[in-house]
Amino acid sequence: MKPNSGTLVINIMNGGKAEAYEGVYQCTARNERGAAISNNIVVRPSRSPLWTKEKLEPNHVREGDSLVLHCRPPVGLPPPIIFWMDNAFQRLPQSERVSQGLNGDLYFSNVQPEDTREDYICYARFNHTQTIQQKQPISVKVFSMDSLNDTIAANLSDTDIFGAKPVTERQPVLLTPTGSTSTKVELRGNVLLLECIAAGLPTPVIRWIKEGGELPANRTFFENFKKTLKIIDVSEADSGNYKCIARNALGSVHHVISVTVKAAPYWITAPRNLVLSPGEDGTLICRANGNPKPSISWLANGVPIAIAPEDPSRKVDGDTIIFSHVQERSSAVYQCNASNEYGYLLANAFVNVLAEPPRILTPANKLYQVIADSPALLDCAYFGSPKPEIEWFKGVKGSILRGNEYVFHDNGTLEIPVAQKNNAGTYTCVARNELGKIQNEVQLEIKDPTMIIKQPEYKVIQRYGQVSFECIIKHDSTLLPTVTWLKDNDELPDDERFLVGKDNLTIMNVTDKDDGTYTCIVNTTLDSVSASAVLTVVARPNPPFDLELTGQLERSIDLSWLPGDENNSPVTSFVIEFEDALHEPGVWRYQTEVPGSQTTAQLKLSPYVNYSFRVIAVNRIGRSQPSEPSEQYLTKSASPDENPANVQGIGSEPDNLVITWEPLKGFQSNGPGLQYKVSWRQKDVDDEWTSVIVANVSKYIVSGTPTFVPYEVKVQALNDLGYAPEPSEVIGHSGEDLPMVAPGNVQVHVINSTLAKVHWDPVPLKSVRGHLQGYKVYYWKVQSLSRRSRRHVEKKILTFRGNKTFGMLPGLEPYSSYKLNVRVVNGKGEGPASPDKVFKTPEGVPSSPSFLKITNPTLDSLTLEWGSPTHPNGVLTSYTLKFQPINNTHELGPLVEIRIPANESSLILKNLNYSTRYKFYFNAQTSVGSGSQITEEAVTIMDEGKISMASRQVDIATQGWFIGLMCAVALLILILLIVCFIRRNKGGKYPVKEKEDAHADPEIQPMKEDDGTFGEYSDAEDHKPLKKGSRTPSDRTVKKEDSDDSLVDYGEGVNGQFNEDGSFIGQYSGKKEKEPAEGNESSEAPSPVNAMNSFV
């Protein structure tokens, strides 16, 4: 016995024999409360005996007969494992014909000549002793019928030889088991093995059925080439008749095995320990089952209960012991024994009669943390006798917990099935029995559940791209989450391409092996959530392979191929290309395209082409690399199938006709010796065709033709094998020459000051001597009628396509004299010009004055000087001057308008307000109307009296008393500034805006609050704000604005464009300034004079 242990150690390493310790052992544990006993333990020594000596005769067997080689291993403990090998320690091959039985014998359903050998050796392996025993080799010799006849012929005379029968087929015969029926008994829970081995030629096939039922699913297996039926974990339901059927071509045989499943005892209800307090009642139940049904016997403290000390509180009733009004002396250990012929069960149960006040085993103030909306289990493990009653309270002075909201378990645990935030707090468990009371407090905290608010999403990414999975979580602030990423439920690959961020997983340079399911797992100490998304890596498909040509015909062939890997993006189509190694080696051309579900195509072929084909797979990502080329296939020659395309007849000179065509490609020639037959005849003049055969070129020139006459032209292909089909005819023309006649009856209709319409009579088509392309109108300005001065003549050209007889001339200058002529145009060039036609444009509105300058400002007057418009566009009739004052609040005063004769160039405005800013608007007029205006601003000077007052103040400033006064004022201002600064820091407001307006810098413009632009008092043209830096220069001049006039394109070319009907697209007009606003408008900051006046 080991010290302080119940373990018994048997050691025979230092001597002694194992057989001396063979027997049945049982352990008994005892104290003052009773005795417990163990199951019987059987000790037997292992044995591996040697094979008994025996004389083995050789086995002589006729080919086709059955044979059994017996092993008969020695009986060992535990039984040995049997296998057959040869002298080279190689396992003998087994099959449906040759196999080993459950008893270790080797069965031959029929022998064959190759079964002849002298080293059939049976081995027995004893695992416990780690030894292998070998039987003597067995010899087998198989005689064929031919060799048997030779042997008989050598020993008998010719008259004694009888005809030996050849190997005959035989119907099945069972080698094991014998007879038609047998029985088998197996214990419940064990493995049932049933065996059928049959002889016969051909080798029989074995099949198993259960009569009146089905073989149990998931527990049935077939071994040894279906010769062994194996059913695991058998039960009583597996009892019945099992039939094995051996069948070959000549018949069948069967055997029925009647299986009975017996059972060693097994527990239905094992006795359990019982704790009772004095005076209580209780029962011990011991129920077992088996086949046959086991008998139940009781022991008390290891002694049969019949001879154990009597206890008046105990009564035995079969498999139950009933206790009534127990006392402390009733404590004992009871054993229940359930036995039948196949085994027994033994269980100990301690009946403890105890008087104990309650004890709570759960630690005090234990903290429980659970997630909201999940169950909360608060433990209150207790002990006491009699069994204490458990009550639960919430809070210090809470009432007892009851109701459906709670579940009270027998072990004292309080369950809150769906815990909410309001369930958090202190809970008190109270245990009481008649011997006392005890309580314990536990704490419950409810945490917010962890959630994945942004889950990873399914992604499709191209190979070598970048992909990112998001996993944004929300969790209880007191819990520390950990985020783990898995790929296909395993750890992420150890690869620097995988970047795990705070709330995402990024995979760089994605490859095919990254395809799979990615899972984001968020764990806290209380809960765990996960979300998964699939990543599909797509790429262009792999190229097709294994191209094969079949069905070769003169004009068609079948091409088949095997598609490559689609790379997770289905192939939508296959593109087939071909190479003509005969005419264009190395050049691959498109042949056809087939759907992605198709892997064959019938291809049309042309004669005299050495074809090779390749296939390109296409999916949504792109095109694969081309496949390897197919084998070459050369088609036979034939006459051409088609003629040249795009045949034309166009003269390059007035006396020739150039016939051109698009030559056939090499594979279109259909054979060697490609040439062209070129034919022509003058339309409606010649009846016969003139023909010439030329080499493989693309044009032929016919000389000596009349100028621009129609010809019928055709070009036919031919080669060494013949002509192509008859070609179609096309109409061409010989060369053009310049037109001979100018357009006549040219008329001009002036529409307005900038637009005129010109008419002409068409030129006869015969005099055009070519394809009429249109008419060109040349026009130019001769002089301006207002200035009578000539300038450099710049001719403008408008082209009118087709057989037009009129056109519009846009962009003309008003009040000017123009000339024009018209010419007809063909493919060769322009014809002669028509006589020049003179026309004049009426007056228009003038441009703005060239400048407006304001000089000599006084207290009440300003002098205005201006320049006449650069483009008067007529006879000036007058000028209009408008002006209005601007006050200190940037408001515009009333508008005054003055008419000025056209011959004036200056004006003195009197009776103006001193120190006042004015805005002026100035434009010129003709009889048609007013032109665009020019604007300017100016300021009258300040009052002289106030200026002298200011000078006197300067003189006073030299006095000492004045200097002292100013110092006092400065000190007061400094104090005021400090107070304002303090108030501003405390959030106070100071009205500085008004003073800033009163003393504004004259060079600073007010800003609009909404867009930050300068405050606007604008001219009537565009109301644009006056911007800093754009004031009138020191000489008070304003440069003339550039004219907005533009030449709207009517005809083709650089100068204009017309619609097909010659109508004008658009309109020509100068921009006119709007009239100045009469209302109040914002203005710029006060002038320096105003600022000085405010200060004084």
Side-chain angles (χ1 to χ4, degrees):
M1 290 276 291
K2 282 188 175 181
N4 302 317
S5 170
T7 302
L8 175 64
V9 179
I10 300 175
N11 189 352
I12 59 173
M13 300 299 293
N14 298 325
K17 294 184 178 181
E19 288 79 0
Y21 298 97
E22 186 174 3
V24 179
Y25 293 79
Q26 190 174 45
C27 171
T28 302
R30 188 185 307 276
N31 64 11
E32 68 274 8
R33 309 289 288 184
I37 61 177
S38 71
N39 286 326
N40 290 339
I41 302 169
V42 179
V43 176
R44 298 180 64 185
S46 62
R47 296 182 178 88
S48 55
L50 298 175
W51 236 292
T52 57
K53 297 290 184 179
E54 58 180 325
K55 184 179 180 180
L56 300 178
E57 297 292 337
N59 291 275
H60 298 279
V61 190
R62 187 174 62 176
E63 179 182 358
D65 288 350
S66 61
L67 175 65
V68 180
L69 300 183
H70 298 287
C71 180
R72 300 190 185 94
V75 178
L77 189 66
I81 298 174
I82 306 301
F83 51 92
W84 289 81
M85 292 197 299
D86 58 16
N87 278 332
F89 296 100
Q90 298 297 316
R91 285 186 179 268
L92 296 175
Q94 298 190 23
S95 63
E96 290 184 344
R97 186 177 64 84
V98 181
S99 60
Q100 178 182 316
L102 294 176
N103 62 356
D105 292 346
L106 190 63
Y107 292 86
F108 295 78
S109 294
N110 52 80
V111 295
Q112 302 295 330
E114 59 266 24
D115 296 329
T116 298
R117 62 190 308 154
E118 296 181 353
D119 57 350
Y120 286 93
I121 304 174
C122 181
Y123 287 88
R125 182 174 67 215
F126 297 90
N127 286 341
H128 199 74
T129 59
Q130 297 183 353
T131 58
I132 295 178
Q133 303 291 349
Q134 173 185 340
K135 186 172 183 172
Q136 292 179 340
I138 301 175
S139 174
V140 173
K141 184 171 180 62
V142 179
F143 291 98
S144 66
M145 295 310 301
D146 292 339
S147 61
L148 185 60
N149 280 337
D150 293 342
T151 303
I152 295 174
N155 294 283
L156 297 177
S157 63
D158 292 342
T159 57
D160 296 330
I161 294 179
F162 55 90
K165 297 181 180 179
V167 176
T168 58
E169 296 182 343
R170 294 177 291 105
Q171 65 181 18
V173 177
L174 287 175
L175 297 176
T176 183
T178 59
S180 60
T181 61
S182 61
T183 60
K184 173 76 173 180
V185 176
E186 191 56 79
L187 292 182
R188 180 178 183 269
N190 287 354
V191 177
L192 173 64
L193 294 173
L194 303 179
E195 181 181 55
C196 272
I197 300 177
L201 186 69
T203 303
V205 176
I206 305 298
R207 185 168 66 92
W208 291 89
I209 61 173
K210 182 181 181 183
E211 294 182 346
E214 299 290 336
L215 295 175
N218 302 323
R219 294 189 295 117
T220 301
F221 304 92
F222 297 99
E223 297 178 347
N224 198 20
F225 309 99
K226 291 192 175 181
K227 299 175 185 179
T228 302
L229 172 65
K230 177 180 178 181
I231 302 177
I232 62 174
D233 192 22
V234 295
S235 64
E236 288 86 343
D238 295 321
S239 297
N241 294 331
Y242 292 81
K243 179 187 289 187
C244 71
I245 303 170
R247 185 184 303 276
N248 68 7
L250 301 183
S252 64
V253 65
H254 68 269
H255 184 92
V256 177
I257 305 174
S258 180
V259 175
T260 302
V261 178
K262 300 291 186 177
Y266 56 91
W267 288 119
I268 296 176
T269 304
R272 303 176 64 182
N273 295 336
L274 191 61
V275 178
L276 301 173
S277 59
E280 281 189 330
D281 301 335
T283 58
L284 283 181
I285 299 174
C286 176
R287 289 179 184 162
N289 201 358
N291 187 9
K293 188 170 181 63
S295 59
I296 304 296
S297 61
W298 289 94
L299 297 89
N301 294 327
V303 178
I305 202 165
I307 60 175
E310 290 189 6
D311 184 351
S313 64
R314 177 182 69 208
K315 177 183 178 182
V316 178
D317 184 9
D319 58 6
T320 304
I321 299 180
I322 302 172
F323 296 94
S324 304
H325 302 289
V326 296
Q327 302 300 321
E328 289 193 42
R329 65 176 180 272
S330 300
S331 296
V333 179
Y334 290 87
Q335 291 82 33
C336 173
N337 186 306
S339 304
N340 67 10
E341 59 185 282
Y342 298 107
Y344 78 98
L345 295 172
L346 180 68
N348 292 277
F350 178 36
V351 177
N352 189 7
V353 180
L354 189 64
E356 287 286 339
R359 282 185 287 168
I360 294 180
L361 307 179
T362 300
N365 292 315
K366 184 175 180 180
L367 176 63
Y368 292 89
Q369 295 178 327
V370 298
I371 298 296
D373 298 325
S374 61
L377 297 172
L378 308 182
D379 293 333
C380 184
Y382 64 90
F383 179 77
S385 185
K387 180 180 178 180
E389 293 182 359
I390 302 299
E391 292 178 332
W392 281 94
F393 300 85
K394 183 180 180 184
V396 179
K397 297 181 179 180
S399 58
I400 187 171
L401 298 180
R402 293 188 177 89
N404 297 329
E405 185 181 354
Y406 305 99
V407 177
F408 302 94
H409 293 274
D410 291 340
N411 62 356
T413 297
L414 170 65
E415 178 181 355
I416 305 175
V418 183
Q420 303 292 336
K421 285 284 189 178
N422 58 2
N423 295 125
T426 301
Y427 288 80
T428 302
C429 165
V430 177
R432 59 164 58 90
N433 66 8
E434 59 191 41
L435 301 178
K437 181 182 82 169
I438 192 171
Q439 69 181 36
N440 185 39
E441 291 183 352
V442 295
Q443 308 295 325
L444 175 62
E445 292 181 356
I446 309 298
K447 305 292 184 181
D448 291 327
T450 304
M451 296 184 294
I452 300 178
I453 58 176
K454 178 67 175 177
Q455 297 187 356
E457 298 177 346
Y458 172 72
K459 295 291 179 71
V460 177
I461 190 70
Q462 291 190 32
R463 188 187 296 164
Y464 309 124
Q466 176 180 325
V467 67
S468 182
F469 291 106
E470 286 187 293
C471 185
I472 300 176
I473 63 174
K474 179 182 178 182
H475 62 90
D476 193 284
S477 59
T478 62
L479 300 177
L480 182 62
T482 59
V483 179
T484 305
W485 286 90
L486 301 179
K487 179 182 183 295
D488 296 330
N489 294 324
D490 204 351
E491 293 183 357
L492 290 178
D494 185 12
D495 193 328
E496 61 183 8
R497 297 181 301 107
F498 288 78
L499 305 177
V500 178
K502 177 183 177 183
D503 51 14
N504 60 31
L505 167 66
T506 301
I507 308 174
M508 313 288 291
N509 196 21
V510 173
T511 63
D512 290 340
K513 66 181 181 181
D514 299 330
D515 203 273
T517 301
Y518 290 84
T519 303
C520 167
I521 301 178
V522 185
N523 290 308
T524 66
T525 54
L526 298 181
D527 63 348
S528 176
V529 292
S530 65
S532 298
V534 174
L535 172 62
T536 300
V537 180
V538 297
R540 295 185 301 172
N542 292 349
F545 59 95
D546 199 12
L547 272 64
E548 184 179 2
L549 296 176
T550 57
Q552 290 89 341
L553 299 175
E554 290 187 1
R555 292 300 182 99
S556 69
I557 196 168
D558 294 331
L559 173 66
S560 63
W561 61 90
L562 294 178
D565 194 337
E566 294 183 338
N567 292 326
N568 293 326
S569 181
V571 172
T572 57
S573 63
F574 290 101
V575 176
I576 302 172
E577 297 179 337
F578 73 93
E579 176 198 27
D580 181 4
L582 190 62
H583 302 98
E584 296 179 309
V587 177
W588 290 91
R589 298 191 179 275
Y590 174 85
Q591 171 81 19
T592 188
E593 187 169 352
V594 299
S597 59
Q598 197 170 317
T599 57
T600 61
Q602 187 176 59
L603 308 177
K604 294 182 179 180
L605 305 180
S606 296
Y608 195 53
V609 176
N610 193 6
Y611 281 101
S612 290
F613 299 98
R614 68 182 187 185
V615 183
I616 299 171
V618 182
N619 65 6
R620 187 175 58 86
I621 310 305
R623 294 161 64 103
S624 72
Q625 292 294 320
S627 68
E628 291 295 323
S630 69
E631 60 181 308
Q632 292 185 341
Y633 178 63
L634 177 62
T635 56
K636 294 180 181 180
S637 301
S639 58
D641 292 327
E642 51 190 312
N643 288 301
N646 198 21
V647 177
Q648 292 181 329
I650 302 174
S652 60
E653 299 295 337
D655 61 349
N656 74 5
L657 172 66
V658 180
I659 303 173
T660 61
W661 60 90
E662 187 176 314
L664 298 181
K665 293 182 172 57
F667 67 89
Q668 295 175 309
S669 66
N670 286 6
L674 178 62
Q675 294 178 302
Y676 299 100
K677 180 182 178 182
V678 184
S679 303
W680 68 93
R681 67 181 178 187
Q682 188 173 342
K683 190 174 186 301
D684 299 329
V685 175
D686 297 335
D687 293 330
E688 299 297 327
W689 290 89
T690 303
S691 300
V692 64
I693 294 179
V694 300
N696 188 10
V697 294
S698 61
K699 73 176 180 178
Y700 180 78
I701 301 177
V702 180
S703 301
T705 63
T707 301
F708 196 68
V709 294
Y711 277 86
E712 293 176 311
V713 178
K714 61 182 180 180
V715 180
Q716 185 177 23
L718 67 151
N719 62 16
D720 293 349
L721 282 81
Y723 285 84
E726 184 66 23
S728 57
E729 303 167 4
V730 297
I731 302 298
H733 286 82
S734 57
E736 299 181 64
D737 205 347
L738 293 176
M740 300 171 59
V741 179
N745 193 24
V746 177
Q747 300 293 330
V748 179
H749 172 62
V750 178
I751 297 176
N752 57 37
S753 61
T754 61
L755 180 64
K757 185 175 183 179
V758 58
H759 291 263
W760 61 87
D761 290 340
V763 173
L765 290 179
K766 287 186 177 181
S767 64
V768 175
R769 299 203 295 178
H771 294 285
L772 176 64
Q773 293 188 356
Y775 292 88
K776 283 187 178 180
V777 177
Y778 287 74
Y779 65 102
W780 62 97
K781 180 179 176 181
V782 178
Q783 66 178 15
S784 173
L785 298 179
S786 60
R787 298 186 179 180
R788 303 296 179 184
S789 62
R790 295 181 179 272
R791 64 175 185 175
H792 173 70
V793 175
E794 179 184 353
K795 290 187 177 181
K796 298 180 180 180
I797 305 171
L798 287 178
T799 301
F800 300 93
R801 295 288 183 184
N803 194 18
K804 289 285 184 65
T805 59
F806 67 92
M808 307 295 287
L809 303 182
L812 303 177
E813 294 185 15
Y815 206 51
S816 300
S817 176
Y818 279 88
K819 286 185 179 181
L820 65 76
N821 59 52
V822 184
R823 310 176 190 191
V824 67
V825 182
N826 66 11
K828 191 71 173 178
E830 300 177 4
S834 65
D836 291 348
K837 186 72 174 179
V838 177
F839 66 97
K840 298 178 181 179
T841 56
E843 291 187 74
V845 295
S847 63
S848 61
S850 57
F851 68 89
L852 175 62
K853 182 166 60 175
I854 304 175
T855 60
N856 301 325
T858 66
L859 286 174
D860 62 351
S861 68
L862 293 170
T863 300
L864 279 71
E865 299 177 358
W866 60 86
S868 61
T870 306
H871 299 284
N873 295 336
V875 178
L876 296 180
T877 58
S878 64
Y879 292 99
T880 298
L881 173 66
K882 299 177 183 179
F883 63 94
Q884 57 191 151
I886 305 171
N887 63 18
N888 293 339
T889 60
H890 315 297
E891 296 177 348
L892 297 174
L895 189 69
V896 178
E897 181 175 336
I898 300 175
R899 285 277 183 175
I900 303 171
N903 57 353
E904 298 289 339
S905 61
S906 65
L907 175 68
I908 298 176
L909 285 178
K910 298 181 179 181
N911 299 322
L912 301 177
N913 296 329
Y914 70 89
S915 187
T916 302
R917 176 174 293 277
Y918 287 89
K919 185 168 185 179
F920 299 91
Y921 312 90
F922 193 70
N923 61 9
Q925 289 89 27
T926 65
S927 60
V928 177
S930 299
S932 57
Q933 66 184 10
I934 187 171
T935 63
E936 181 52 50
E937 296 181 15
V939 182
T940 56
I941 65 174
M942 61 190 298
D943 187 356
E944 293 178 356
K946 293 190 176 184
I947 295 175
S948 62
M949 184 186 299
S951 65
R952 289 196 301 272
Q953 289 174 349
V954 173
D955 294 337
I956 293 173
T958 60
Q959 304 299 316
W961 64 268
F962 183 75
I963 295 173
L965 179 61
M966 290 297 101
C967 290
V969 171
L971 180 61
L972 288 174
I973 292 173
L974 178 62
I975 294 172
L976 180 61
L977 290 175
I978 294 173
V979 172
C980 291
F981 181 78
I982 294 173
R983 289 185 61 193
R984 183 177 181 183
N985 287 345
K986 291 183 178 181
K989 297 182 180 179
Y990 182 67
V992 298
K993 181 70 172 67
E994 295 80 3
K995 293 187 179 295
E996 289 175 353
D997 291 340
H999 300 281
D1001 187 339
E1003 290 301 314
I1004 298 177
Q1005 303 299 323
M1007 304 292 286
K1008 290 171 65 177
E1009 293 183 0
D1010 56 345
D1011 60 1
T1013 60
F1014 291 106
E1016 53 177 84
Y1017 69 83
S1018 63
D1019 60 30
E1021 177 185 2
D1022 52 9
H1023 296 282
K1024 292 183 179 177
L1026 202 62
K1027 297 182 179 178
K1028 180 179 178 181
S1030 62
R1031 289 178 170 271
T1032 306
S1034 58
D1035 61 359
R1036 316 307 296 169
T1037 62
V1038 178
K1039 294 183 180 179
K1040 164 194 164 297
E1041 294 180 4
D1042 292 338
S1043 172
D1044 288 336
D1045 293 348
S1046 62
L1047 183 62
V1048 179
D1049 295 338
Y1050 278 15
E1052 294 184 359
V1054 296
N1055 296 313
Q1057 178 178 343
F1058 284 90
N1059 285 330
E1060 292 185 358
D1061 59 356
S1063 59
F1064 181 40
I1065 323 173
Q1067 149 181 347
Y1068 174 82
S1069 64
K1071 292 183 180 178
K1072 294 185 178 180
E1073 293 191 357
K1074 300 176 184 178
E1075 289 297 321
E1078 296 292 341
N1080 293 333
E1081 296 181 0
S1082 61
S1083 180
E1084 66 174 9
S1087 68
V1089 177
N1090 288 340
M1092 181 62 73
N1093 288 341
S1094 299
F1095 181 78
V1096 174

